[in-house]
Amino acid sequence: MYLSAGASAIKSLSISRDGKCFLANSADRVIRAYSLERLAAGDRVQPRELQDVVNRMQWAHACFSPGAADSEHVIGTANSATDHHVYIWDMHGHLIKILGQGEKVKDGALWFACHPARPILAACSRSGAIYIWTKRYSENWSAFAPDFKELEENEE
């Protein structure tokens, strides 16, 4: 079986955790998601194309989200010397979130790794610094016990 992924070179490939899809990160600034099941059945498959249509970013790294067994999101880092942006798409091709947008990080991200179960992403920058992206949780103990009183400062 032969598959063409555009007119440019493939920079990297990534297979989903469930083995149903794979990504091709191309030099033509497009990440393409293919269905392995349809390809194995001999169907002509049109890939899902993921890209930044406004800025036409080149991609340094792309892979599936590891948290769920069905790999429901695609994550990609923009190949930029100054901007530290991590893009997250759903499998329908909709851009969900851009991490690093509005942050004062002026160091491009090259590679990232995701925690296998928790929403934590570590991104390695061009300077060698590692940035940790995670969800901020605020603890609300009064939600567990209605008679619990939260204090701003210690009281006697």
Side-chain angles (χ1 to χ4, degrees):
M1 167 181 7
Y2 172 76
L3 178 68
S4 175
S8 63
I10 302 283
K11 294 171 28 176
S12 65
L13 293 172
S14 176
I15 297 177
S16 65
R17 189 173 182 175
D18 60 4
K20 294 181 180 178
C21 299
F22 77 95
L23 293 176
N25 179 9
S26 303
D28 66 353
R29 303 170 192 264
V30 178
I31 300 168
R32 292 177 176 84
Y34 294 91
S35 169
L36 279 172
E37 293 175 331
R38 292 185 58 201
L39 284 171
D43 297 340
R44 282 194 64 90
V45 178
Q46 286 291 69
R48 175 88 52 208
E49 294 187 348
L50 308 168
Q51 60 186 324
D52 183 354
V53 294
V54 176
N55 299 321
R56 296 283 301 157
M57 301 297 292
Q58 184 77 260
W59 304 107
H61 179 58
C63 72
F64 289 99
S65 62
D70 57 354
S71 300
E72 58 197 29
H73 292 92
V74 174
I75 305 168
T77 58
N79 191 7
S80 171
T82 58
D83 295 327
H84 189 93
H85 290 180
V86 178
Y87 290 68
I88 302 173
W89 294 272
D90 64 7
M91 282 306 292
H92 301 291
H94 301 110
L95 183 62
I96 302 295
K97 181 90 174 157
I98 302 175
L99 301 176
Q101 199 171 32
E103 303 288 329
K104 297 198 174 177
V105 178
K106 293 296 180 194
D107 197 5
L110 284 178
W111 198 265
F112 62 88
C114 300
H115 190 280
R118 296 177 56 198
I120 299 172
L121 186 132
C124 180
S125 68
R126 291 182 179 273
S127 69
I130 297 173
Y131 295 92
I132 306 295
W133 297 96
T134 186
K135 183 175 179 169
R136 288 188 183 167
Y137 295 99
S138 62
E139 295 179 359
N140 184 4
W141 291 99
S142 59
F144 298 110
D147 58 338
F148 186 83
K149 181 181 172 188
E150 293 187 35
L151 303 174
E152 295 295 322
E153 294 182 10
N154 291 336
E155 293 181 7
E156 285 190 32

